[in-house]
Amino acid sequence: MAGPGKDPAQVEKAIDAEIARLQTGSIEEWELDKARNAARRSLASSLGSSLQRAILLSRYTVFYSDPGVLNTRYDRVASLTIADLQRVARQYLVPANRAVIVTVPAKPGATGAPGAKGAGGAQ
Amino acid sequence: MNLRTALCPLLSALSVVFLAVQAPVLGQGAAAAAPPAAPKFKGKAPVSNDIIKVKLPRAQETQLSNGAYLMVLEDHRVPSVRFEIIMIGAGGYYDPPGMPGLADTTASLMDEGTTTRSSEQIAQALDTMAASVSVSANEGSQIATVTGSALTDQFDAVLALASDVLLNPSFPEKEIGLYKVRARAGLEEQRSDPDFLRQERYSKAVLRLASGVERGSDARVARENEPRYARQFSQEQLRARPRDHRRVGRHHAGRSAREIRSRAEGMGQERDAVARRDRSTRPRGPENRARQSLGIGADGPDGRGTGDLAHRSRLRRDGRHESDLGGSNGRLYRELRERKGYTYGVYSNTRSLRYRGDWRAQMDVRTDVTEPALRDLLSEINKMRDEPVPLDEFRDANAR
């Protein structure tokens, strides 16, 4: 969410710059460690709940025909390299695959604004 | 974790999940076979009148030499640790006179820099470890807390960082400036939030708070306070309360309670933060909103809390009225949401605080049904107060 008075186009431009950096710029080793730790933490959190474990096992069975992915998933994430990340980013994070939607509040009194004549009152 | 070990306790849950996701696949393969029997619906969920028996884990407790009281709950199933440090007497309830919002503001600034780490370094360290450390001292609360979580093998580093945040905050001018910008934006935004405005008015009408503003407005602190106030508060309120320090953690195998105790004793004193607010902008007229937020509540006649209210209104003291009236199975939900369609959700609850508490009911509604929704809400409360609860309804509530 952009702060008051900030142009959404500037926010989008900043996001584009980060994607470009991921595709072609330098990625530090600590950034990769961060991603690995985040994945490990997420998996550990999931394993604490019986329901989440059941969901993961069923998903791995449906998508990979192997519930045992639960036991190997983190090792696969940990084995990824910076080159892997950049290859995937260049292949998939491209404008052709993207939909950008910007929503802004209606100005007070404008057609369709809450309280304006004829405006809906949906929650 | 071994897969076989994981599967054993999951059988009942799996039966639901597997069926849900695999049914279409099975259906395709059986297209030429006889059609499956139509499912039989019972029409209502089975209700057991048995009291659920739960065996709660027992915490290891000890008094540390630094004055803190330590409680540890061991849970060896996953490699993570969660902790909470509680400081009684350091919440926003104890804001100094004329300084509403100081505790909350101080808490918000605690992790924005220490004598040895910048705000960015703290954030990067936590991100890199996939950990969290958070300080809070909400307005109206008697306690301040430092909460954190980490993977087991990162716990020492995260606890050291939490200790640094607690003991050595530096309140950099730059970060205070940024905080003010964020706080002002938040203040403007909350003025368009019906929930906030409802809570604000509720505080004034029911809790009889002088300013009428007990939530969300750090305006005065954001506008006027200098770093010295935050420094002074953090030192006076937190260093003076080492005995109020508690930690509750759960940890993985290899992390014994003795280890946790050793780490905690090294922390020395703690500190936190605090705040309240003032009203710097007027609420917009309710006629310009598509959504209204309604709230009703009461405290005891002398501010002692909900015990008196429960007695006077014949609501039961054991809290069961919440099951009858509030919650997703309660009367309010059934009547105002399911039957009348006024709202997505309507709830009531009791807050039992140390010095005072209250009972309240609240819901968000479309503007055009505000009047009938309020009327029916009051009607349901009156019914609960004046009419005996049918035995079946009472039993159902108890079974839940």
Side-chain angles (χ1 to χ4, degrees), chain A residues 107-120, chain B residues 287-288:
Chain A
K107 295 186 184 304
T111 303
K117 190 175 182 180
Chain B
E287 69 281 2
N288 290 330

Side-chain angles (χ1 to χ4, degrees), chain A residues 27-62:
Chain A
I27 297 175
E28 304 291 335
E29 193 60 34
W30 72 263
E31 292 180 283
L32 199 56
D33 284 342
K34 182 174 86 169
R36 287 178 181 133
N37 279 334
R40 194 155 59 100
R41 175 77 192 278
S42 174
L43 183 62
S45 298
S46 299
L47 297 179
S49 153
S50 297
L51 176 60
Q52 282 301 318
R53 276 187 280 178
I55 289 172
L56 287 178
L57 288 167
S58 62
R59 283 185 182 173
Y60 295 146
T61 303
V62 170

